Amino acid sequence: MGEGRGLHLFSIPLHRAFADALAKGLIDRFGKDPMRLARGIVLVPTNRAKRAITDAFVRASGGGLLLPRLVAIGDPELDEAAGPFLDPADEDDPVPVAVDPLQRRLILARLVQAAQPGVDVADAVRLAGDLGRTLDQLLIEEIDPRRMRDVAAGELSEHWQHSLDLFEIVLGKWPQELAKLGRIDLAERRNRLLDRVAARWRADPPDRFICAAGITTSAPAIARLLRVVAGLAGGMVVFPGVDLAMPVEEWAMLGPFEPDPITGRRKRALETHPQFHLKLLIDRMGVQRGEIEQWRVATELDAPPARSKAIASAMMPAELTKGWSAIKAEDRRLAKVRAIEVATPAEEAQAIALALREALENEGRTAALVTPDRVLAKRVAAHCARWGLTLDDSAGAPLASLPPGTLLLALAEAGAQAFAPLALLALLKHPLVAAGDDRLAWLEGARALDLALRGPRPAAGLAGVEAHLADPEGHDVHLRRAVLGWWREVAPLLAPLEALYAGGAAPLTGLLAQLRETATVLCGDGLWGRTDGRAAASLFDSLEREAAHGPALVEPESLAAILRTLMDEVAVRPPQGGHPRLAIYGLIEARLQTADLVILGGLNEGVWPGLPAPDPWLAPRIRAELGLPGLERRIGLSAHDLAMGLGAREVLLTRAKRDAGAPTIASRFWLRLEALSGGLERATELEAWTRAIDDPRVHEPAGRPEPCPPAVIRPRTIPVTDVDRLKADPYAFYAKRMLRLRQLDPVDADPSAAWRGTAVHDVLEKWAKLDGCDPEALEPRVLNMLAGAHPMMRALWQPRLIEAVRWIVREIAARPQRRVLAVEQDGAIDFAGVTLKGKFDRIDAMGDGTLGIVDYKTGQPPSTKAVRAGYSLQLGLLGLIAERGGFAGISGKASCFEYWSLARRGGEFGYVATPVDAGGKYGRMVPGEFVPVAAENFTETARAYLTGDAPFTAKLHPEYAPYSEYDQLMRRDEWYGRERR
């Protein structure tokens, strides 16, 4: 393997399993002397790569083996990974300690806020993260930030010029902050450590083999180290998938290019090509591709050699793809690469789960899903759970989405929103709150509070919730009173947090400490247990320790946004314990991994490859001129990840044609593979299984419900407001009165028409009963009612309502011959074999001694058409009860029936409408007929449905049944329309 050559450079082709080929080759070369193998050093990119290569050594050894030392030089905490190997304790000139990443983040946030005072702390923390990443790229690429002003040359837009000015201000102060701390940047420390070990090996070559394997990072310090390793007598550098067969002209097209001697501009490199970062690394090492030799070791997990050629052809630069037609068929063949294209992400996850499950049918067979789509990964794991398979997603999940993170965010949100119902209930129902023996009792209280808080939002704060529960008026009084005792035990637990949020801006340390203490009171120490809890505890410990370095004061309302930003960047990986033959990997975790079947999932544009994350600090041209990686380079890395995955023995490609919101576009990689191969082989059997596994075969939609309970158990009491419901939609009446089901109002709901109507009726009732219809008293009562309403609702509704009630005062004053006899009074009569009950809004004594029935409406009154059809006869039924003495203290014949609507008509708020007319105009009934017609219609309805045995048919007359709260219960969408064909 190149013994005696000047440089020892190798590449393992894409169709070979990298880790297994590497392990087998090293054992073949050094394994004859176990101690020689054990004394060797293998440099790898990440700790995940260490595990992959360790597993490969175990597979290749077939028994006991002393492994070489594996050192991850790509992880951020380089000294932690390498230990004394890179930074020995007896070094005469030790490298300074690196600044803590979170400490740097908070310092940069403080500098950003100082340079731009209007920036909120949460935004400053977010911008500091982007600033730190840009700074790290400058340090890794060993670029002097002072060059930025030279390349800008005053050609930037105002936005980018402002960002650049701010960037320079912050970077100008950052070295001073480091000097105060006596530390250096983590990226700078890594560069120094790598250069130090390179110098040591160059001056005193080690007496053991050194192998750098799978490293693709093109950082200059990495390149210098690999150049030294390649030149050692016992050294070797093994690249993953360098295309040694690519024509020289095509290789040169990738770039990077030197600046134009006249314009100084650089030609744009093909950073989206999967070989670009490898070419850049090779160039920086100062070697030629021709010096790289193929690592000629085969394994059982290898794909056919033709696969590498097909992958290289599929990924060639766009301007060369016109030559695809000239490529031989065997060089375009993608044997054992199949594809699945399904309709939805749910079907895609199902198909992947089936493929993983099928792999287990063959003894010893392994399978892995590789995808950047974490939602898809979760769905696949959930589908596999149906077979009792536990799959760990090695990419982990952000802390913000795990129980401890969601609890802490819910607590911060509840405080920021002054314990508004939605935020409060999300906190109180969280699975970590009151976990243990008292959980059931706690949940009962929380669920009762949920019911009590349905409807418009109460006043802000814990006191506002208590006042709402203690209110002696309104609906569900008994429920609210029942939960009041439980709430008075819970509120003190949250009171310290409310006081903190009410105190205004405060040091971040104090905010975090109170949030932590409140969370512990609610959840106990169990909050900080398990892997995710320990990650949350570690984050809070670091934040509280380093908070003094950040902005001096933080608004409590910004705390939730700060925590979400930081938690989203903390990946919590599950402990080992998933199925030994199945795995789910992210793109980074999948590097150097292999399996018998590799499933590459989520191959849609914007997912694989993902959209490049924007850099808010440096314009793309500035990045290019400085030599920083372009935003598109991640596409090239994604392409290389895909190419490595395609090198597995069997490959399954998957995509969904649409996502949750819209049709998707197939990944550019998918389209290239299809175009090259003339059409990917479809996994038709697997697609059929995906459709069949949950296919009920026969669809049997529900029929129109017509429950027909015996007459003896049917209601014998009915309010006038339910008569229309009984006639038009008997099933809705049945569900409401017999099943006693009612639709719950949403939590924190916008004030509905029903709520507004109730509020107005309450005001008008009190105005009549307590104020004697004093014209001066109505408007103050309306303002008092609106004082506790949501500000938005108050701003929108108050002007309209004030105009409407002023109209009521004027209207009453304009009718001196009438007087208000009574308001809001209940009554009932026995009629047609049942008890008919009702409550009128107002009854007036008319000038001729008859009664006037008045109904207040906040919306539009019923139409004449509905009245003629036998509906909307509520006023007539109230007149019937009044004429038969059903209302205490009221007697006489009803002759006037009016709706006083507060809605707008003719440019003004408020008008009177009536369903009757003395001359029978406009198709209306004459007043004397209204009560008899209403009585007759009610008699027919009562005899059919209440004392008779007519079925309660759903939506019998849908044109007069606008209610929809029982549509789902009656499964309306399954039968409505079919019945009418």
Side-chain angles (χ1 to χ4, degrees), residues 84-104:
F85 164 69
L86 290 179
D87 192 19
D90 58 353
E91 193 74 39
D92 294 334
D93 183 22
V95 177
V97 177
V99 64
D100 182 86
L102 186 56
Q103 185 183 51
R104 181 180 77 162

Side-chain angles (χ1 to χ4, degrees), residues 403-404 407 430-436 519-534 536-537:
L407 181 281
H430 194 281
L432 291 180
V433 174
T520 304
V521 168
L522 289 173
C523 305
D525 293 335
L527 169 64
W528 313 107
R530 302 184 309 277
T531 304
D532 49 5
R534 289 191 292 273

Side-chain angles (χ1 to χ4, degrees), residues 613-664:
D615 182 352
W617 293 101
L618 297 181
R621 187 177 70 78
I622 298 296
R623 294 180 63 89
E625 293 296 329
L626 288 173
L628 284 174
L631 300 179
E632 299 84 5
R633 188 174 298 184
R634 287 192 175 276
I635 297 177
L637 295 174
S638 294
H640 189 261
D641 292 333
L642 181 76
M644 294 290 289
L646 284 169
R649 185 160 54 184
E650 291 186 36
V651 179
L652 179 65
L653 310 174
T654 72
R655 68 171 293 259
K657 294 180 181 178
R658 65 174 299 117
D659 58 17
T664 58

Side-chain angles (χ1 to χ4, degrees), residues 846-904:
M846 307 301 289
D848 59 0
T850 58
L851 302 177
I853 313 296
V854 177
D855 187 31
Y856 292 115
K857 292 287 186 183
T858 53
Q860 301 296 328
S863 66
T864 301
K865 177 183 176 183
V867 175
R868 297 294 298 182
Y871 296 90
S872 301
L873 299 176
Q874 178 180 341
L875 292 182
L877 294 177
L878 290 173
L880 176 66
I881 297 174
E883 290 181 355
R884 300 204 172 200
F887 295 118
I890 296 177
S891 61
K893 183 176 179 60
S895 64
C896 177
F897 306 92
E898 293 177 341
Y899 292 106
W900 286 34
S901 174
L902 307 188
R904 186 171 185 170

Side-chain angles (χ1 to χ4, degrees), residues 349-361 365-370 377 380-381 384 387 389 391 579 581-584 597-599 652 686:
Q350 182 72 274
I352 294 171
L354 284 168
L356 293 172
R357 178 64 184 85
E358 183 188 18
L360 297 182
E361 293 300 305
R365 182 175 169 83
T366 58
L369 166 64
V370 179
V380 171
C384 287
W387 300 298
L389 300 177
L391 272 66
H579 198 283
R581 290 162 54 196
L582 302 178
I584 299 177
L597 170 66
V598 172
I599 303 170
L652 179 65
L686 194 55

Side-chain angles (χ1 to χ4, degrees), residues 537-762:
S538 176
L539 176 62
F540 260 63
D541 178 64
S542 299
L543 265 176
E544 290 187 51
R545 186 175 61 251
E546 307 295 350
H549 296 283
L553 297 176
V554 176
E555 292 291 340
E557 290 75 13
S558 300
L559 185 57
I562 293 172
L563 289 177
R564 184 175 296 279
T565 297
L566 297 176
M567 287 181 179
D568 278 339
E569 299 174 8
V570 177
V572 181
R573 292 177 172 81
Q576 297 298 317
H579 198 283
R581 290 162 54 196
L582 302 178
I584 299 177
Y585 300 124
L587 297 190
I588 295 176
E589 291 73 26
R591 292 170 186 169
L592 309 189
Q593 301 283 351
T594 192
D596 294 306
L597 170 66
V598 172
I599 303 170
L600 307 177
L603 279 166
N604 283 325
E605 201 69 12
V607 177
W608 193 346
L611 298 175
D615 182 352
W617 293 101
L618 297 181
R621 187 177 70 78
I622 298 296
R623 294 180 63 89
E625 293 296 329
L626 288 173
L628 284 174
L631 300 179
E632 299 84 5
R633 188 174 298 184
R634 287 192 175 276
I635 297 177
L637 295 174
S638 294
H640 189 261
D641 292 333
L642 181 76
M644 294 290 289
L646 284 169
R649 185 160 54 184
E650 291 186 36
V651 179
L652 179 65
L653 310 174
T654 72
R655 68 171 293 259
K657 294 180 181 178
R658 65 174 299 117
D659 58 17
T664 58
I665 299 173
S667 166
R668 63 190 72 182
F669 308 140
W670 176 288
L671 296 177
R672 278 174 168 260
L673 292 171
E674 275 200 323
L676 174 73
S677 62
L680 294 167
E681 179 188 352
R682 299 290 175 177
T684 53
E685 186 178 35
L686 194 55
E687 289 180 354
W689 290 351
T690 300
R691 292 188 294 268
I693 190 170
D694 292 320
D695 186 358
R697 306 285 180 167
V698 177
H699 293 272
E700 297 181 355
R704 189 177 201 165
E706 294 180 325
C708 190
V712 294
I713 66 171
R714 300 191 181 204
R716 288 295 187 270
T717 299
I718 182 172
V720 296
T721 52
D722 273 351
V723 174
D724 280 358
R725 185 189 298 266
L726 177 59
K727 290 178 61 179
D729 190 355
Y731 182 88
F733 176 87
Y734 164 79
K736 179 181 180 181
R737 291 297 171 184
M738 296 197 69
L739 300 184
R740 300 190 179 184
L741 300 175
R742 69 178 180 90
Q743 187 178 39
L744 294 176
D745 291 331
V747 176
D748 208 356
D750 291 330
S752 63
W755 184 90
R756 292 195 297 267
T758 300
V760 169
H761 280 74
D762 181 63

